[in-house]
Amino acid sequence: GRFAGRFQVDLKISDGLFFGASAIEFPLVNGDNTIEIPGSADTTKVVVVIEGARTNTQVWNKTNGIRVRYPRPLPLNTVATITGHDMLASEVVGGNETDTTYTVVHSGSPQWMILRPGTNIINLSSDSGAGAVKLLVQGAWT
């Protein structure tokens, strides 16, 4: 009509990536673990889940040199979760959650954990304990 107009909107995605709809679970054992990450881009959508008992647990991506360490001792029946994308950490004991973000130590990148598409070599180590550790990963596509 007489008062019609045209406009253009440019939308930008903050990180420019699309992530898989659900996470893939990778159980880890002490030492080197080879995992295959789907996608076409590096992903920061990585959650590390550590079940006690473990002390000073470190997950090291030997493929790109990034390490994340949870230095707190985790007693039996305690679960620590490190969410790399959001840079958060917490512990759950008996249904009670405590923020432990301040304790996480990382190196190799400003991000807490990055996985490349394809093969990654992940090294798991702890000073003591043998509680289960797993990664929950969403692949990334450009």
Side-chain angles (χ1 to χ4, degrees):
R2 188 172 128 182
F3 297 103
R6 293 180 74 162
F7 64 94
Q8 177 178 331
V9 176
D10 292 325
L11 301 174
K12 293 186 179 186
I13 299 173
S14 62
D15 61 11
L17 299 175
F18 297 93
F19 295 96
S22 60
I24 301 167
E25 184 175 314
F26 296 99
L28 301 178
V29 297
N30 288 332
D32 287 350
N33 299 262
T34 301
I35 63 174
E36 293 292 326
I37 304 302
S40 62
D42 290 354
T43 185
T44 58
K45 292 276 191 167
V46 181
V47 177
V48 180
V49 180
I50 308 165
E51 296 179 10
R54 274 191 180 265
T55 300
N56 198 29
T57 302
Q58 177 177 265
V59 176
W60 170 25
N61 186 346
K62 289 179 148 183
T63 304
N64 61 17
I66 297 173
R67 301 172 192 238
V68 63
R69 185 167 51 91
Y70 196 78
R72 294 173 55 89
L74 287 173
L76 196 59
N77 300 320
T78 304
V79 177
T81 302
I82 302 169
T83 307
H85 186 76
D86 300 323
M87 296 184 175
L88 298 172
S90 64
E91 279 182 22
V92 176
V93 182
N96 297 315
E97 186 172 11
T98 303
D99 182 354
T100 57
T101 300
Y102 65 94
T103 66
V104 174
V105 178
H106 64 96
S107 64
S109 171
Q111 296 293 328
W112 283 6
M113 183 52 67
I114 298 172
L115 297 174
R116 293 187 173 153
T119 303
N120 288 258
I121 306 299
I122 306 298
N123 180 273
L124 172 66
S125 63
S126 295
D127 290 348
S128 64
V133 178
K134 64 185 172 186
L135 299 180
L136 303 174
V137 180
Q138 289 175 267
W141 287 263
T142 53

